[in-house]
Amino acid sequence: MEAVMLAQTQTKPVQNPAFAQSKRFVQVTSGLDAPGFTMTFSRDEEIYGEGEEAEFVYTVVSGVVRTHRVLDDGRRQISSFHFAGDVFGLEMSAEHLSSAEAVTPCEISLVKRTVLDRMTQENPGCARQLWELASRELSHARAHLMLLGRKTAVERVATFLIELGDRDEDDEAAVKIPMSRTDIADYLGLTIETVSRTLTQLERDGAIELPNCRQIILRNRAALDRLDA
Amino acid sequence: MEAVMLAQTQTKPVQNPAFAQSKRFVQVTSGLDAPGFTMTFSRDEEIYGEGEEAEFVYTVVSGVVRTHRVLDDGRRQISSFHFAGDVFGLEMSAEHLSSAEAVTPCEISLVKRTVLDRMTQENPGCARQLWELASRELSHARAHLMLLGRKTAVERVATFLIELGDRDEDDEAAVKIPMSRTDIADYLGLTIETVSRTLTQLERDGAIELPNCRQIILRNRAALDRLDA
DNA sequence: CGTGAGTTTGACCGAACTCAAATCATGTGG
DNA sequence: CCACATGATTTGAGTTCGGTCAAACTCACG
């Protein structure tokens, strides 16, 4: 779905001859429409670390990825979760400014930054697309700032559930929760206990239902929207 | 200082003939090296509002600007302060996703987005520069996420003071605080009372000195760095 | 001077955190 | 297929940091 959006915003299908030529040699084409290859990562495996050289740009083919930063004493803040089609790890700086790990087993497509750099020089639309990606992330980060700085625990959890629900492609009654309570807590700037308590509170209030801890039914979407503020 | 960095990252001084020609007609050239004009804003005046059409891109010539979002009930989160040389209001979307206001009286340079769009098509380096700007903002937002999600009040205030100190060009002993306590609070996700109390606590601890509320002397920079985590 | 906005300080409160125990889930070997 | 072990989640009890409400203070400006 994100991949579709990217394709739409792409000015033209990239007529770099080197690209067309290499197409048959690469294992896969990423959401970036650039030659690359794929890798698989198992649960909790590191994809790249903060401070490492930003050699590649990544696209989620399947699975879920988290990007985060940690303080010396272990406090962790997850800045975002990335789902199928999402691009991540795209940095302007030479080094990655956050770490990325697999939340679930996942398949990731990698594109060399040098390849991307060359493409941007030849195709102005490509540079624009990169700008668009950075922009989208910035927009998400801004929304997240409001959540972390000003929202209460219930509001944070409600916002999170709506966000997840919107991304869940197969819109069954139940939203699948791919990440642990710890991940949710570190994303929302709360503790696992508060996340858990808030979820059961929302269940008592009839807003959601918790068949098991990895599946949530949004029973009263309006109530959640009200909390989303 | 930010303007200098922009100039450095610029591939070439833009040889768009329309630009060279129009140069003498415009009142000023912004940090974006594009034809534009300047406007002045008085204290607390709105520069643009959330949801308004993003017709211009802005550069601070002098003064300080804040960008923020508000919830229906008035809770406000300031995402960043912009100082001389900083570009702001650069959106990918058709509308601004936050509001911008003058913290102090300021002089702002405006460039039409359509002009910028044309330039990016003709000059790949320009698109890259825009990407770089978005990237820089993203990087700041990420750091701010960690602050809002995981840091204590003292840590937030210490981080803020260091940030301000680093930006204050004339490095006198005293850091000038251009914004009100309310602005600081809404930037750090705290209340004005907590900001105030934390500052006096830091003073008692000998880390800083408060000659008056708009001027702070960093007496023990190491202690602040330790808190910056 | 007097006024009023902005800031500081104080007393109290409460939402979220901490520590700890109970419960649930998941995978493993018998 | 079940019993157990291990980790994840939930629940409980008590604490704390930062918020709220209110009063005092500062200072710039008329």
Side-chain angles (χ1 to χ4, degrees), chain B residues 158 161-162 202 207-208 218 220-229:
Chain B
L161 291 178
I162 290 171
L202 285 171
I208 63 172
L218 309 187
N220 186 349
R221 174 69 193 246
L224 290 177
D225 282 336
R226 215 168 308 122
L227 284 169
D228 190 20

Side-chain angles (χ1 to χ4, degrees), chain A residues 62-132:
Chain A
S62 69
V64 181
V65 169
R66 60 177 175 253
T67 54
H68 67 262
R69 284 174 146 204
V70 288
L71 258 34
D72 328 321
D73 63 354
R75 281 175 286 176
R76 183 178 69 149
Q77 179 62 48
I78 294 179
S79 46
S80 44
F81 293 109
H82 301 276
F83 300 85
D86 290 358
V87 174
F88 66 97
L90 177 60
E91 318 276 6
M92 193 63 244
S93 53
E95 292 109 39
H96 284 294
L97 345 119
S98 31
S99 308
E101 293 170 353
V103 170
T104 64
C106 44
E107 197 182 352
I108 306 291
S109 139
L110 288 78
V111 174
K112 272 225 163 224
R113 244 190 73 164
T114 52
V115 172
L116 220 53
D117 281 343
R118 195 159 342 106
M119 280 174 64
T120 59
Q121 275 159 24
E122 286 159 18
N123 183 346
C126 181
R128 189 183 168 78
Q129 195 190 349
L130 293 184
W131 174 31
E132 215 157 300

Side-chain angles (χ1 to χ4, degrees), chain A:
Chain A
M1 163 216 157
E2 185 78 358
V4 171
M5 296 179 67
L6 289 176
Q8 287 174 340
T9 54
Q10 177 83 13
T11 33
K12 24 195 136 167
V14 184
Q15 69 293 66
N16 175 353
F19 167 52
Q21 202 179 358
S22 62
K23 213 168 189 176
R24 72 186 66 129
F25 300 116
V26 300
Q27 295 175 44
V28 78
T29 298
S30 81
L32 288 163
D33 277 331
F37 61 98
T38 61
M39 283 182 72
T40 60
F41 294 88
S42 45
R43 190 173 210 291
D44 289 328
E45 198 178 347
E46 181 176 80
I47 299 170
Y48 59 78
E50 191 178 336
E52 281 181 16
E53 194 204 340
E55 193 181 354
F56 298 101
V57 174
Y58 306 79
T59 309
V60 181
V61 175
S62 69
V64 181
V65 169
R66 60 177 175 253
T67 54
H68 67 262
R69 284 174 146 204
V70 288
L71 258 34
D72 328 321
D73 63 354
R75 281 175 286 176
R76 183 178 69 149
Q77 179 62 48
I78 294 179
S79 46
S80 44
F81 293 109
H82 301 276
F83 300 85
D86 290 358
V87 174
F88 66 97
L90 177 60
E91 318 276 6
M92 193 63 244
S93 53
E95 292 109 39
H96 284 294
L97 345 119
S98 31
S99 308
E101 293 170 353
V103 170
T104 64
C106 44
E107 197 182 352
I108 306 291
S109 139
L110 288 78
V111 174
K112 272 225 163 224
R113 244 190 73 164
T114 52
V115 172
L116 220 53
D117 281 343
R118 195 159 342 106
M119 280 174 64
T120 59
Q121 275 159 24
E122 286 159 18
N123 183 346
C126 181
R128 189 183 168 78
Q129 195 190 349
L130 293 184
W131 174 31
E132 215 157 300
L133 285 169
S135 233
R136 208 191 308 283
E137 288 219 55
L138 185 56
S139 162
H140 176 263
R142 291 268 167 80
H144 212 59
L145 286 182
M146 174 62 93
L147 181 143
L148 293 174
R150 289 285 166 230
K151 289 191 183 177
T152 65
V154 218
E155 290 170 340
R156 294 185 200 200
V157 172
T159 303
F160 173 70
L161 292 178
I162 291 171
E163 205 177 321
L164 257 194
D166 286 347
R167 303 229 43 166
D168 205 344
E169 25 255 14
D170 32 45
D171 51 357
E172 305 160 17
V175 177
K176 282 187 278 297
I177 313 289
M179 65 289 285
S180 70
R181 293 292 186 267
T182 305
D183 283 343
I184 299 174
D186 287 351
Y187 180 61
L188 298 179
L190 301 169
T191 59
I192 48 172
E193 293 96 331
T194 301
V195 170
S196 181
R197 268 188 264 271
T198 305
L199 284 171
T200 59
Q201 185 205 318
L202 285 172
E203 188 175 32
R204 270 199 305 276
D205 298 349
I208 63 171
E209 212 164 313
L210 293 157
N212 65 67
C213 71
R214 292 303 183 119
Q215 212 156 331
I216 296 181
I217 299 167
L218 309 186
R219 190 151 296 289
N220 186 349
R221 173 69 193 246
L224 290 177
D225 282 335
R226 214 169 308 124
L227 285 168
D228 190 18

Side-chain angles (χ1 to χ4, degrees), chain B residues 185-197:
Chain B
D186 287 351
Y187 179 61
L188 299 179
L190 299 169
T191 59
I192 49 173
E193 292 95 330
T194 300
V195 170
S196 182
R197 266 188 267 270

